[in-house]
Amino acid sequence: MHASGAIVLAVSADVLWELLSEPDSIAVWMSELHAWTDPTPDRVGADLELAAQVQMFDMRHDVRLVVTEYHPDRSWTMTCGSVPGIAVTFTIELDRLREVSRVTLRTGLHGQVLRDADVVVLRQAVQRGLDSNLRQLTEIAEMTFRTPAAVVHHPG
């Protein structure tokens, strides 16, 4: 099951990448991430493994998040497979357009949880979480960069 959405900001992609790749900033806008539980580096990077506490299905879980794909200044993918029956991927992509930047978020949910749950309800919950992340990013960008943003939803 997948969900995705995007925001378009009148901000330089180089400046925006800072917000998207700093673990401390990620903790502010990623609604599923409750807290980092170990010290974090300044930036997300290839093969980085981070200890965190995440909120999934009204429960907090201690997890290891692993950056499985990393393209400097463009995208990263984190996976979480340490919760029994649940595998989650979270991808950020940053596109440099003419005078704006587009941030696309994608969430994938896999595992036993899909066999045991109402898929429609689960898809809506995943989309709500992703939409919350987009709203948070939009608010942070508007406050930090004083720029309007547009949210574009993509059905998963």
Side-chain angles (χ1 to χ4, degrees), residues 1-38:
M1 166 182 328
H2 299 278
S4 64
I7 55 175
V8 177
L9 301 165
V11 176
S12 156
D14 294 331
V15 171
L16 195 52
W17 182 251
E18 300 298 311
L19 181 65
L20 300 173
S21 65
E22 293 176 341
D24 289 343
S25 295
I26 294 167
V28 173
W29 59 260
M30 185 183 281
S31 62
E32 300 84 0
L33 180 60
H34 178 69
W36 299 115
T37 55
D38 281 344

Side-chain angles (χ1 to χ4, degrees), residues 9-80:
L9 301 165
V11 176
S12 156
D14 294 331
V15 171
L16 195 52
W17 182 251
E18 300 298 311
L19 181 65
L20 300 173
S21 65
E22 293 176 341
D24 289 343
S25 295
I26 294 167
V28 173
W29 59 260
M30 185 183 281
S31 62
E32 300 84 0
L33 180 60
H34 178 69
W36 299 115
T37 55
D38 281 344
T40 59
D42 292 339
R43 297 272 172 256
V44 168
D47 300 320
L48 180 65
E49 189 170 325
L50 299 164
Q53 193 174 71
V54 296
Q55 182 96 17
M56 282 192 257
F57 309 114
D58 296 325
M59 296 177 1
R60 287 194 183 152
H61 302 274
D62 291 319
V63 299
R64 303 297 291 179
L65 298 173
V66 180
V67 178
T68 54
E69 292 182 39
Y70 180 75
H71 304 280
D73 302 324
R74 284 192 10 231
S75 68
W76 56 258
T77 297
M78 277 189 199
T79 60
C80 174

